[in-house]
mmCIF file of all heavy atoms in Angstrom:
data_model
loop_
_atom_site.group_PDB
_atom_site.id
_atom_site.type_symbol
_atom_site.label_atom_id
_atom_site.label_comp_id
_atom_site.label_asym_id
_atom_site.label_seq_id
_atom_site.Cartn_x
_atom_site.Cartn_y
_atom_site.Cartn_z
ATOM 1 N N TYR A 1 -64.654 20.771 19.867
ATOM 2 C CA TYR A 1 -64.120 19.989 20.975
ATOM 3 C C TYR A 1 -65.285 19.295 21.674
ATOM 4 O O TYR A 1 -66.453 19.491 21.312
ATOM 5 C CB TYR A 1 -63.379 20.900 21.954
ATOM 6 C CG TYR A 1 -61.985 21.274 21.519
ATOM 7 C CD1 TYR A 1 -61.724 22.496 20.893
ATOM 8 C CD2 TYR A 1 -60.916 20.414 21.743
ATOM 9 C CE1 TYR A 1 -60.437 22.840 20.495
ATOM 10 C CE2 TYR A 1 -59.621 20.751 21.348
ATOM 11 C CZ TYR A 1 -59.395 21.953 20.726
ATOM 12 O OH TYR A 1 -58.121 22.296 20.334
ATOM 13 N N GLY A 2 -64.969 18.491 22.687
ATOM 14 C CA GLY A 2 -66.002 17.720 23.366
ATOM 15 C C GLY A 2 -66.181 18.105 24.819
ATOM 16 O O GLY A 2 -66.252 19.279 25.164
ATOM 17 N N ASN A 3 -66.206 17.103 25.679
ATOM 18 C CA ASN A 3 -66.491 17.330 27.091
ATOM 19 C C ASN A 3 -65.277 17.849 27.857
ATOM 20 O O ASN A 3 -64.134 17.459 27.577
ATOM 21 C CB ASN A 3 -66.979 16.044 27.751
ATOM 22 C CG ASN A 3 -68.455 15.802 27.512
ATOM 23 O OD1 ASN A 3 -69.037 16.319 26.563
ATOM 24 N ND2 ASN A 3 -69.067 15.007 28.366
ATOM 25 N N VAL A 4 -65.572 18.689 28.817
ATOM 26 C CA VAL A 4 -64.540 19.347 29.625
ATOM 27 C C VAL A 4 -64.849 19.205 31.106
ATOM 28 O O VAL A 4 -65.962 18.875 31.505
ATOM 29 C CB VAL A 4 -64.480 20.860 29.297
ATOM 30 C CG1 VAL A 4 -63.962 21.104 27.903
ATOM 31 C CG2 VAL A 4 -65.871 21.505 29.482
ATOM 32 N N VAL A 5 -63.843 19.476 31.922
ATOM 33 C CA VAL A 5 -64.077 19.723 33.346
ATOM 34 C C VAL A 5 -64.321 21.214 33.492
ATOM 35 O O VAL A 5 -63.546 22.033 32.985
ATOM 36 C CB VAL A 5 -62.862 19.301 34.197
ATOM 37 C CG1 VAL A 5 -63.068 19.727 35.661
ATOM 38 C CG2 VAL A 5 -62.646 17.798 34.106
ATOM 39 N N MET A 6 -65.422 21.568 34.135
ATOM 40 C CA MET A 6 -65.736 22.976 34.399
ATOM 41 C C MET A 6 -65.880 23.169 35.904
ATOM 42 O O MET A 6 -66.177 22.225 36.630
ATOM 43 C CB MET A 6 -67.029 23.388 33.680
ATOM 44 C CG MET A 6 -68.251 22.630 34.136
ATOM 45 S SD MET A 6 -69.695 22.884 33.062
ATOM 46 C CE MET A 6 -69.395 21.598 31.852
ATOM 47 N N VAL A 7 -65.628 24.380 36.357
ATOM 48 C CA VAL A 7 -65.754 24.671 37.789
ATOM 49 C C VAL A 7 -66.644 25.897 37.967
ATOM 50 O O VAL A 7 -66.670 26.793 37.118
ATOM 51 C CB VAL A 7 -64.379 24.908 38.454
ATOM 52 C CG1 VAL A 7 -63.546 23.637 38.427
ATOM 53 C CG2 VAL A 7 -63.634 26.050 37.801
ATOM 54 N N SER A 8 -67.358 25.928 39.066
ATOM 55 C CA SER A 8 -68.246 27.052 39.320
ATOM 56 C C SER A 8 -67.433 28.320 39.561
ATOM 57 O O SER A 8 -66.316 28.253 40.099
ATOM 58 C CB SER A 8 -69.139 26.774 40.532
ATOM 59 O OG SER A 8 -68.417 26.921 41.740
ATOM 60 N N PRO A 9 -67.946 29.471 39.166
ATOM 61 C CA PRO A 9 -67.221 30.725 39.397
ATOM 62 C C PRO A 9 -66.872 30.941 40.863
ATOM 63 O O PRO A 9 -65.773 31.410 41.181
ATOM 64 C CB PRO A 9 -68.202 31.785 38.883
ATOM 65 C CG PRO A 9 -69.052 31.076 37.885
ATOM 66 C CD PRO A 9 -69.205 29.679 38.423
ATOM 67 N N LYS A 10 -67.766 30.577 41.751
ATOM 68 C CA LYS A 10 -67.543 30.764 43.187
ATOM 69 C C LYS A 10 -66.390 29.882 43.677
ATOM 70 O O LYS A 10 -65.504 30.327 44.406
ATOM 71 C CB LYS A 10 -68.822 30.430 43.957
ATOM 72 C CG LYS A 10 -68.761 30.685 45.464
ATOM 73 C CD LYS A 10 -70.140 30.445 46.075
ATOM 74 C CE LYS A 10 -70.166 30.817 47.563
ATOM 75 N NZ LYS A 10 -69.358 29.895 48.393
ATOM 76 N N PHE A 11 -66.400 28.643 43.259
ATOM 77 C CA PHE A 11 -65.353 27.709 43.660
ATOM 78 C C PHE A 11 -63.993 28.165 43.139
ATOM 79 O O PHE A 11 -62.987 28.140 43.861
ATOM 80 C CB PHE A 11 -65.694 26.315 43.128
ATOM 81 C CG PHE A 11 -64.751 25.230 43.572
ATOM 82 C CD1 PHE A 11 -64.545 24.947 44.903
ATOM 83 C CD2 PHE A 11 -64.080 24.468 42.622
ATOM 84 C CE1 PHE A 11 -63.686 23.936 45.310
ATOM 85 C CE2 PHE A 11 -63.216 23.453 43.009
ATOM 86 C CZ PHE A 11 -63.018 23.183 44.352
ATOM 87 N N ALA A 12 -63.944 28.602 41.883
ATOM 88 C CA ALA A 12 -62.687 29.059 41.296
ATOM 89 C C ALA A 12 -62.155 30.299 42.007
ATOM 90 O O ALA A 12 -60.946 30.432 42.239
ATOM 91 C CB ALA A 12 -62.877 29.346 39.812
ATOM 92 N N ALA A 13 -63.065 31.224 42.359
ATOM 93 C CA ALA A 13 -62.647 32.471 42.998
ATOM 94 C C ALA A 13 -62.179 32.256 44.435
ATOM 95 O O ALA A 13 -61.198 32.856 44.881
ATOM 96 C CB ALA A 13 -63.796 33.478 42.965
ATOM 97 N N GLU A 14 -62.881 31.389 45.156
ATOM 98 C CA GLU A 14 -62.599 31.211 46.575
ATOM 99 C C GLU A 14 -61.526 30.164 46.860
ATOM 100 O O GLU A 14 -60.817 30.246 47.864
ATOM 101 C CB GLU A 14 -63.881 30.845 47.323
ATOM 102 C CG GLU A 14 -64.934 31.949 47.306
ATOM 103 C CD GLU A 14 -66.185 31.561 48.059
ATOM 104 O OE1 GLU A 14 -66.278 30.398 48.536
ATOM 105 O OE2 GLU A 14 -67.099 32.410 48.173
ATOM 106 N N LYS A 15 -61.392 29.169 45.959
ATOM 107 C CA LYS A 15 -60.474 28.068 46.245
ATOM 108 C C LYS A 15 -59.655 27.684 45.003
ATOM 109 O O LYS A 15 -59.735 26.543 44.519
ATOM 110 C CB LYS A 15 -61.254 26.860 46.773
ATOM 111 C CG LYS A 15 -62.026 27.174 48.053
ATOM 112 C CD LYS A 15 -62.867 26.007 48.523
ATOM 113 C CE LYS A 15 -63.629 26.377 49.798
ATOM 114 N NZ LYS A 15 -64.503 25.273 50.262
ATOM 115 N N PRO A 16 -58.879 28.618 44.490
ATOM 116 C CA PRO A 16 -58.103 28.323 43.273
ATOM 117 C C PRO A 16 -57.118 27.173 43.448
ATOM 118 O O PRO A 16 -56.881 26.413 42.509
ATOM 119 C CB PRO A 16 -57.389 29.648 42.980
ATOM 120 C CG PRO A 16 -57.362 30.371 44.286
ATOM 121 C CD PRO A 16 -58.634 29.995 44.971
ATOM 122 N N GLU A 17 -56.537 27.038 44.645
ATOM 123 C CA GLU A 17 -55.593 25.937 44.867
ATOM 124 C C GLU A 17 -56.311 24.595 44.867
ATOM 125 O O GLU A 17 -55.735 23.576 44.455
ATOM 126 C CB GLU A 17 -54.829 26.140 46.173
ATOM 127 C CG GLU A 17 -53.784 27.242 46.096
ATOM 128 C CD GLU A 17 -52.822 27.067 44.921
ATOM 129 O OE1 GLU A 17 -52.333 25.933 44.717
ATOM 130 O OE2 GLU A 17 -52.564 28.054 44.206
ATOM 131 N N ALA A 18 -57.555 24.585 45.315
ATOM 132 C CA ALA A 18 -58.345 23.352 45.270
ATOM 133 C C ALA A 18 -58.625 22.961 43.827
ATOM 134 O O ALA A 18 -58.621 21.771 43.476
ATOM 135 C CB ALA A 18 -59.646 23.523 46.041
ATOM 136 N N VAL A 19 -58.866 23.964 42.968
ATOM 137 C CA VAL A 19 -59.078 23.688 41.544
ATOM 138 C C VAL A 19 -57.816 23.082 40.941
ATOM 139 O O VAL A 19 -57.876 22.080 40.209
ATOM 140 C CB VAL A 19 -59.471 24.970 40.780
ATOM 141 C CG1 VAL A 19 -59.586 24.683 39.278
ATOM 142 C CG2 VAL A 19 -60.786 25.536 41.313
ATOM 143 N N ARG A 20 -56.670 23.642 41.259
ATOM 144 C CA ARG A 20 -55.409 23.106 40.741
ATOM 145 C C ARG A 20 -55.182 21.677 41.236
ATOM 146 O O ARG A 20 -54.736 20.803 40.479
ATOM 147 C CB ARG A 20 -54.243 24.007 41.143
ATOM 148 C CG ARG A 20 -54.281 25.381 40.484
ATOM 149 C CD ARG A 20 -53.040 26.218 40.807
ATOM 150 N NE ARG A 20 -53.093 27.487 40.104
ATOM 151 C CZ ARG A 20 -53.618 28.604 40.599
ATOM 152 N NH1 ARG A 20 -54.113 28.596 41.833
ATOM 153 N NH2 ARG A 20 -53.643 29.718 39.890
ATOM 154 N N GLY A 21 -55.487 21.456 42.499
ATOM 155 C CA GLY A 21 -55.340 20.111 43.052
ATOM 156 C C GLY A 21 -56.286 19.122 42.397
ATOM 157 O O GLY A 21 -55.914 17.971 42.132
ATOM 158 N N LEU A 22 -57.495 19.574 42.130
ATOM 159 C CA LEU A 22 -58.481 18.722 41.463
ATOM 160 C C LEU A 22 -57.970 18.282 40.095
ATOM 161 O O LEU A 22 -58.051 17.097 39.728
ATOM 162 C CB LEU A 22 -59.802 19.484 41.319
ATOM 163 C CG LEU A 22 -60.958 18.735 40.650
ATOM 164 C CD1 LEU A 22 -61.519 17.677 41.585
ATOM 165 C CD2 LEU A 22 -62.066 19.716 40.244
ATOM 166 N N LEU A 23 -57.415 19.212 39.337
ATOM 167 C CA LEU A 23 -56.925 18.896 37.998
ATOM 168 C C LEU A 23 -55.671 18.034 38.033
ATOM 169 O O LEU A 23 -55.481 17.174 37.166
ATOM 170 C CB LEU A 23 -56.679 20.183 37.208
ATOM 171 C CG LEU A 23 -57.904 21.088 36.993
ATOM 172 C CD1 LEU A 23 -57.580 22.171 35.962
ATOM 173 C CD2 LEU A 23 -59.121 20.292 36.555
ATOM 174 N N ARG A 24 -54.827 18.249 39.022
ATOM 175 C CA ARG A 24 -53.660 17.368 39.159
ATOM 176 C C ARG A 24 -54.105 15.927 39.413
ATOM 177 O O ARG A 24 -53.576 14.985 38.818
ATOM 178 C CB ARG A 24 -52.751 17.844 40.301
ATOM 179 C CG ARG A 24 -51.853 19.015 39.964
ATOM 180 C CD ARG A 24 -50.774 19.212 41.031
ATOM 181 N NE ARG A 24 -51.340 19.556 42.332
ATOM 182 C CZ ARG A 24 -51.519 20.813 42.750
ATOM 183 N NH1 ARG A 24 -51.202 21.828 41.969
ATOM 184 N NH2 ARG A 24 -52.013 21.045 43.956
ATOM 185 N N ALA A 25 -55.082 15.783 40.295
ATOM 186 C CA ALA A 25 -55.577 14.450 40.632
ATOM 187 C C ALA A 25 -56.259 13.793 39.432
ATOM 188 O O ALA A 25 -56.056 12.605 39.159
ATOM 189 C CB ALA A 25 -56.543 14.541 41.805
ATOM 190 N N ILE A 26 -57.071 14.553 38.701
ATOM 191 C CA ILE A 26 -57.758 13.997 37.534
ATOM 192 C C ILE A 26 -56.745 13.587 36.471
ATOM 193 O O ILE A 26 -56.880 12.537 35.839
ATOM 194 C CB ILE A 26 -58.773 15.013 36.968
ATOM 195 C CG1 ILE A 26 -59.952 15.168 37.943
ATOM 196 C CG2 ILE A 26 -59.280 14.567 35.598
ATOM 197 C CD1 ILE A 26 -60.939 16.254 37.549
ATOM 198 N N THR A 27 -55.720 14.409 36.270
ATOM 199 C CA THR A 27 -54.683 14.077 35.293
ATOM 200 C C THR A 27 -54.041 12.734 35.620
ATOM 201 O O THR A 27 -53.857 11.877 34.735
ATOM 202 C CB THR A 27 -53.611 15.176 35.251
ATOM 203 O OG1 THR A 27 -54.209 16.413 34.854
ATOM 204 C CG2 THR A 27 -52.497 14.829 34.270
ATOM 205 N N LYS A 28 -53.712 12.519 36.882
ATOM 206 C CA LYS A 28 -53.129 11.240 37.291
ATOM 207 C C LYS A 28 -54.127 10.102 37.098
ATOM 208 O O LYS A 28 -53.752 8.996 36.687
ATOM 209 C CB LYS A 28 -52.680 11.316 38.753
ATOM 210 C CG LYS A 28 -51.529 12.272 39.001
ATOM 211 C CD LYS A 28 -51.215 12.391 40.491
ATOM 212 C CE LYS A 28 -50.090 13.394 40.747
ATOM 213 N NZ LYS A 28 -49.831 13.579 42.194
ATOM 214 N N GLY A 29 -55.394 10.377 37.395
ATOM 215 C CA GLY A 29 -56.417 9.357 37.219
ATOM 216 C C GLY A 29 -56.607 8.967 35.765
ATOM 217 O O GLY A 29 -56.765 7.785 35.435
ATOM 218 N N VAL A 30 -56.583 9.948 34.885
ATOM 219 C CA VAL A 30 -56.701 9.670 33.448
ATOM 220 C C VAL A 30 -55.501 8.865 32.975
ATOM 221 O O VAL A 30 -55.647 7.881 32.234
ATOM 222 C CB VAL A 30 -56.833 10.983 32.649
ATOM 223 C CG1 VAL A 30 -56.748 10.716 31.148
ATOM 224 C CG2 VAL A 30 -58.154 11.671 32.973
ATOM 225 N N ARG A 31 -54.308 9.254 33.417
ATOM 226 C CA ARG A 31 -53.091 8.517 33.053
ATOM 227 C C ARG A 31 -53.209 7.043 33.438
ATOM 228 O O ARG A 31 -52.924 6.140 32.639
ATOM 229 C CB ARG A 31 -51.895 9.146 33.765
ATOM 230 C CG ARG A 31 -50.562 8.445 33.551
ATOM 231 C CD ARG A 31 -49.583 8.835 34.651
ATOM 232 N NE ARG A 31 -50.053 8.385 35.969
ATOM 233 C CZ ARG A 31 -49.592 8.850 37.121
ATOM 234 N NH1 ARG A 31 -48.677 9.810 37.137
ATOM 235 N NH2 ARG A 31 -50.059 8.369 38.268
ATOM 236 N N ASP A 32 -53.676 6.781 34.656
ATOM 237 C CA ASP A 32 -53.791 5.407 35.132
ATOM 238 C C ASP A 32 -54.904 4.644 34.422
ATOM 239 O O ASP A 32 -54.796 3.430 34.209
ATOM 240 C CB ASP A 32 -54.050 5.403 36.639
ATOM 241 C CG ASP A 32 -52.835 5.849 37.444
ATOM 242 O OD1 ASP A 32 -51.803 6.185 36.828
ATOM 243 O OD2 ASP A 32 -52.926 5.875 38.686
ATOM 244 N N THR A 33 -55.974 5.343 34.047
ATOM 245 C CA THR A 33 -57.074 4.699 33.338
ATOM 246 C C THR A 33 -56.650 4.295 31.937
ATOM 247 O O THR A 33 -57.009 3.215 31.449
ATOM 248 C CB THR A 33 -58.294 5.637 33.267
ATOM 249 O OG1 THR A 33 -58.635 6.077 34.589
ATOM 250 C CG2 THR A 33 -59.499 4.922 32.670
ATOM 251 N N VAL A 34 -55.884 5.153 31.285
ATOM 252 C CA VAL A 34 -55.349 4.828 29.959
ATOM 253 C C VAL A 34 -54.467 3.585 30.048
ATOM 254 O O VAL A 34 -54.505 2.708 29.180
ATOM 255 C CB VAL A 34 -54.551 6.020 29.388
ATOM 256 C CG1 VAL A 34 -53.772 5.616 28.144
ATOM 257 C CG2 VAL A 34 -55.501 7.173 29.063
ATOM 258 N N ALA A 35 -53.694 3.484 31.126
ATOM 259 C CA ALA A 35 -52.780 2.359 31.301
ATOM 260 C C ALA A 35 -53.499 1.081 31.709
ATOM 261 O O ALA A 35 -53.040 -0.023 31.381
ATOM 262 C CB ALA A 35 -51.716 2.711 32.345
ATOM 263 N N ASP A 36 -54.634 1.200 32.400
ATOM 264 C CA ASP A 36 -55.319 0.010 32.930
ATOM 265 C C ASP A 36 -56.840 0.164 32.830
ATOM 266 O O ASP A 36 -57.527 0.333 33.830
ATOM 267 C CB ASP A 36 -54.903 -0.210 34.387
ATOM 268 C CG ASP A 36 -55.334 -1.570 34.932
ATOM 269 O OD1 ASP A 36 -56.049 -2.291 34.209
ATOM 270 O OD2 ASP A 36 -54.958 -1.897 36.072
ATOM 271 N N PRO A 37 -57.392 0.104 31.616
ATOM 272 C CA PRO A 37 -58.846 0.264 31.458
ATOM 273 C C PRO A 37 -59.649 -0.854 32.112
ATOM 274 O O PRO A 37 -60.816 -0.648 32.468
ATOM 275 C CB PRO A 37 -59.043 0.279 29.941
ATOM 276 C CG PRO A 37 -57.813 -0.342 29.371
ATOM 277 C CD PRO A 37 -56.711 -0.030 30.311
ATOM 278 N N GLU A 38 -59.042 -2.028 32.293
ATOM 279 C CA GLU A 38 -59.760 -3.123 32.954
ATOM 280 C C GLU A 38 -60.091 -2.754 34.402
ATOM 281 O O GLU A 38 -61.205 -3.000 34.870
ATOM 282 C CB GLU A 38 -58.936 -4.420 32.915
ATOM 283 C CG GLU A 38 -58.918 -5.124 31.575
ATOM 284 C CD GLU A 38 -58.011 -4.437 30.557
ATOM 285 O OE1 GLU A 38 -57.165 -3.588 30.973
ATOM 286 O OE2 GLU A 38 -58.139 -4.726 29.353
ATOM 287 N N LEU A 39 -59.126 -2.142 35.092
ATOM 288 C CA LEU A 39 -59.398 -1.674 36.454
ATOM 289 C C LEU A 39 -60.458 -0.586 36.413
ATOM 290 O O LEU A 39 -61.357 -0.546 37.266
ATOM 291 C CB LEU A 39 -58.117 -1.144 37.107
ATOM 292 C CG LEU A 39 -58.299 -0.493 38.491
ATOM 293 C CD1 LEU A 39 -58.942 -1.452 39.468
ATOM 294 C CD2 LEU A 39 -56.953 0.012 39.022
ATOM 295 N N GLY A 40 -60.387 0.287 35.419
ATOM 296 C CA GLY A 40 -61.401 1.334 35.285
ATOM 297 C C GLY A 40 -62.791 0.749 35.163
ATOM 298 O O GLY A 40 -63.745 1.235 35.784
ATOM 299 N N GLY A 41 -62.933 -0.307 34.369
ATOM 300 C CA GLY A 41 -64.232 -0.957 34.225
ATOM 301 C C GLY A 41 -64.732 -1.531 35.536
ATOM 302 O O GLY A 41 -65.922 -1.452 35.854
ATOM 303 N N LYS A 42 -63.828 -2.092 36.318
ATOM 304 C CA LYS A 42 -64.220 -2.659 37.618
ATOM 305 C C LYS A 42 -64.726 -1.573 38.569
ATOM 306 O O LYS A 42 -65.668 -1.792 39.337
ATOM 307 C CB LYS A 42 -63.037 -3.399 38.234
ATOM 308 C CG LYS A 42 -62.662 -4.675 37.500
ATOM 309 C CD LYS A 42 -61.410 -5.320 38.089
ATOM 310 C CE LYS A 42 -61.012 -6.565 37.300
ATOM 311 N NZ LYS A 42 -59.750 -7.164 37.807
ATOM 312 N N LEU A 43 -64.091 -0.403 38.514
ATOM 313 C CA LEU A 43 -64.536 0.701 39.377
ATOM 314 C C LEU A 43 -65.945 1.150 39.006
ATOM 315 O O LEU A 43 -66.730 1.553 39.874
ATOM 316 C CB LEU A 43 -63.562 1.876 39.254
ATOM 317 C CG LEU A 43 -62.121 1.620 39.679
ATOM 318 C CD1 LEU A 43 -61.283 2.876 39.499
ATOM 319 C CD2 LEU A 43 -62.060 1.134 41.123
ATOM 320 N N VAL A 44 -66.270 1.067 37.717
ATOM 321 C CA VAL A 44 -67.607 1.457 37.259
ATOM 322 C C VAL A 44 -68.663 0.484 37.761
ATOM 323 O O VAL A 44 -69.692 0.880 38.313
ATOM 324 C CB VAL A 44 -67.635 1.548 35.714
ATOM 325 C CG1 VAL A 44 -69.076 1.650 35.210
ATOM 326 C CG2 VAL A 44 -66.829 2.741 35.238
ATOM 327 N N ILE A 45 -68.420 -0.810 37.577
ATOM 328 C CA ILE A 45 -69.463 -1.772 37.939
ATOM 329 C C ILE A 45 -69.633 -1.892 39.450
ATOM 330 O O ILE A 45 -70.674 -2.368 39.920
ATOM 331 C CB ILE A 45 -69.214 -3.152 37.307
ATOM 332 C CG1 ILE A 45 -67.932 -3.788 37.841
ATOM 333 C CG2 ILE A 45 -69.178 -3.053 35.784
ATOM 334 C CD1 ILE A 45 -67.798 -5.250 37.448
#
């Protein structure tokens, strides 16, 4: 496999709901990037 999102042990232990929220947000971001890579490129530059 390739690159992953990883979280620090401390962050996962102390703020599990924040980890879940982070992944929900990233999932939506990936979905939108797949749909509109041109906007993604603009955010990079």
Side-chain angles (χ1 to χ4, degrees):
Y1 280 98
N3 278 22
V4 292
V5 173
M6 62 192 87
V7 295
S8 76
K10 184 174 185 291
F11 185 59
E14 295 180 356
K15 300 176 181 178
E17 287 307 314
V19 176
R20 293 185 177 92
L22 181 73
L23 300 192
R24 281 193 296 267
I26 290 174
T27 299
K28 293 175 182 177
V30 172
R31 177 200 63 197
D32 290 1
T33 306
V34 169
D36 192 354
E38 284 76 16
L39 174 57
K42 291 176 183 177
L43 298 180
V44 168
I45 64 169

